[in-house]
């Protein structure tokens, strides 16, 4: 599936070489990289965005993480991560026997304590002493991780080739405002058949599914520095207020407030 903005701009890491229950690393990205092919490893992976955003491709969908959020990729799940240009992320690798985290991909809200523990653990070498202060720090982090609250920052993508093509098309051109009638005709289906297919394969109506896509694209672009006005135009909204209304209805607050709260919260913390 040819999806945009899924490219590798940091050196890949093999976490299975580190015989520790939890390892944290800090990665700073450049720009204009290539996508890392879908891969998996024995350890689970928590990707935490400090600056910029992260988009994770995995079977069944795309997950995006704005600053101060995280995406969890369980052990053995095929995935590929893309960090926004000039971003900064923490990669936390967790042995499946060390923690009872979910067995499906999901996104989390990261508390100030978890962020600081991740940052602190990343300062130490991955092969830290099995017994000692660093090991105890890791155990505290594992205890805290299982208490994190989940978010719905993902776009379900079906294995159906027609819906994969549609997802790629709309991600490449999110401003495409084709009606459901036009899209159904594009894939040689009746409107009823098209609507049923989307609902069956994604668990959402087409309108909600496209709205979720717009939210993910908006978060990715807003955290990269685009203005609300520019993003609303890119997504095909007639006015910024129409986009803000959609965003607020879905996320519970306006784009500026959503990002300002995360930015303000993170600026008070040593996690940088």
């Amino acid at each position: 599936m040819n999806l945009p903005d899924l490219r590798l701009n940091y050196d890949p890491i093999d976490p299975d070489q580190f015989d520790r229950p939890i390892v944290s690393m800090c990665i700073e990205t450049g720009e204009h990289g290539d996508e890392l092919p879908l891969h998996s490893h024995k350890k689970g992976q928590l990707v935490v965005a400090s600056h910029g955003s992260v988009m994770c491709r995995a079977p069944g969908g795309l997950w995006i993480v704005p600053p101060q959020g995280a995406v969890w990729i369980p052990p053995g799940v095929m995935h590929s991560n893309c960090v926004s240009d000039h971003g900064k992320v923490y990669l936390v690798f967790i042995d499946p026997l060390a923690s009872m985290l979910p067995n499906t991909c999901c996104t989390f809200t990261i508390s100030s304590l978890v962020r600081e523990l991740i940052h602190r653990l990343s300062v130490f070498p991955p092969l830290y002493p099995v017994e000692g202060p660093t090991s105890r720090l890791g155990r505290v982090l594992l205890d805290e991780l299982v208490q994190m609250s989940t978010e719905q920052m993902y776009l379900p993508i079906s294995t159906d080739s027609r819906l994969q093509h549609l997802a790629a098309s709309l991600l490449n051109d999110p401003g495409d405002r084709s009606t459901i009638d036009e899209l159904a005709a594009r894939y040689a289906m009746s409107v009823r058949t098209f609507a049923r297919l989307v609902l069956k394969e994604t668990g959402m109506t087409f309108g909600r599914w496209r709205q979720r896509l717009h939210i993910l694209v908006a978060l990715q672009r807003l955290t990269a520095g685009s203005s609300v006005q520019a993003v609303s135009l890119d997504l095909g909204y007639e006015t910024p207020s129409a986009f803000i209304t959609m965003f607020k209805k879905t996320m519970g607050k306006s784009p500026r407030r959503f990002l300002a709260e995360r930015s303000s919260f993170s600026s008070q913390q040593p996690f940088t």
Side-chain angles (χ1 to χ4, degrees):
M1 183 178 177
N2 184 22
L3 295 172
D5 297 326
L6 285 175
R7 59 191 188 279
L8 179 69
N9 47 17
Y10 59 91
D11 293 331
I13 297 169
D14 177 13
D16 295 333
Q17 66 179 304
F18 305 120
D19 184 23
R20 296 295 183 272
I22 184 168
V23 173
S24 177
M25 299 179 178
C26 180
I27 301 293
E28 295 192 51
T29 64
E31 60 182 347
H32 307 311
D34 296 317
E35 181 184 1
L36 178 66
L38 287 170
H39 66 285
S40 66
H41 29 74
K42 296 177 182 178
K43 286 184 170 65
Q45 181 178 5
L46 189 73
V47 185
V48 184
S50 177
H51 299 299
S53 62
V54 179
M55 182 177 283
C56 171
R57 174 186 179 187
L62 296 175
W63 284 257
I64 190 167
V65 186
Q68 311 312 319
V71 61
W72 165 247
I73 305 162
V77 172
M78 299 292 291
H79 66 279
S80 181
N81 297 323
C82 173
V83 185
S84 58
D85 292 345
H86 304 296
K88 185 174 183 179
V89 299
Y90 288 81
L91 304 179
V92 184
F93 300 107
I94 302 173
D95 189 298
L97 299 179
S99 180
M100 297 298 292
L101 287 169
N103 57 9
T104 58
C105 293
C106 59
T107 54
F108 289 110
T109 301
I110 298 297
S111 69
S112 58
L113 175 58
V114 167
R115 289 199 310 276
E116 177 57 19
L117 287 169
I118 289 172
H119 167 68
R120 185 60 179 166
L121 192 61
S122 72
V123 174
F124 300 103
L127 291 176
Y128 52 81
V130 175
E131 297 296 333
T134 307
S135 183
R136 291 194 293 273
L137 186 69
R139 288 196 292 270
V140 172
L141 177 55
L142 288 171
D143 289 339
E144 291 295 319
L145 288 177
V146 297
Q147 302 180 54
M148 294 190 298
S149 58
T150 60
E151 297 177 320
Q152 296 299 316
M153 296 287 189
Y154 82 103
L155 177 71
I157 297 180
S158 166
T159 56
D160 184 276
S161 60
R162 294 163 295 184
L163 296 187
Q164 285 202 359
H165 180 275
L166 175 61
S169 175
L170 292 180
L171 285 166
N172 275 294
D173 181 16
D176 181 355
R177 305 299 290 186
S178 298
T179 65
I180 189 171
D181 300 68
E182 293 168 335
L183 292 173
R186 184 184 302 176
Y187 294 98
M189 290 184 280
S190 69
V191 174
R192 178 175 294 183
T193 300
F194 177 79
R196 286 177 176 174
L197 178 65
V198 174
L199 182 60
K200 176 184 176 183
E201 296 292 328
T202 69
M204 300 178 178
T205 63
F206 173 71
R208 289 195 63 187
W209 182 82
R210 179 155 63 179
Q211 187 178 79
R212 178 71 63 83
L213 182 147
H214 284 170
I215 289 291
L216 298 191
V217 171
L219 288 173
Q220 187 180 39
R221 297 187 181 185
L222 289 169
T223 54
S226 295
S227 67
V228 170
Q229 182 175 7
V231 170
S232 66
L233 292 175
D234 289 343
L235 296 181
Y237 288 85
E238 293 184 357
T239 63
S241 61
F243 164 69
I244 292 171
T245 298
M246 182 280 294
F247 191 100
K248 188 173 182 179
K249 183 177 180 180
T250 305
M251 304 301 293
K253 55 196 72 176
S254 69
R256 283 197 177 94
R257 183 179 177 186
F258 179 86
L259 295 175
E261 287 182 358
R262 288 186 176 241
S263 175
S264 174
F265 185 61
S266 63
S267 67
Q268 300 173 19
Q269 311 302 326
F271 185 65
T272 58

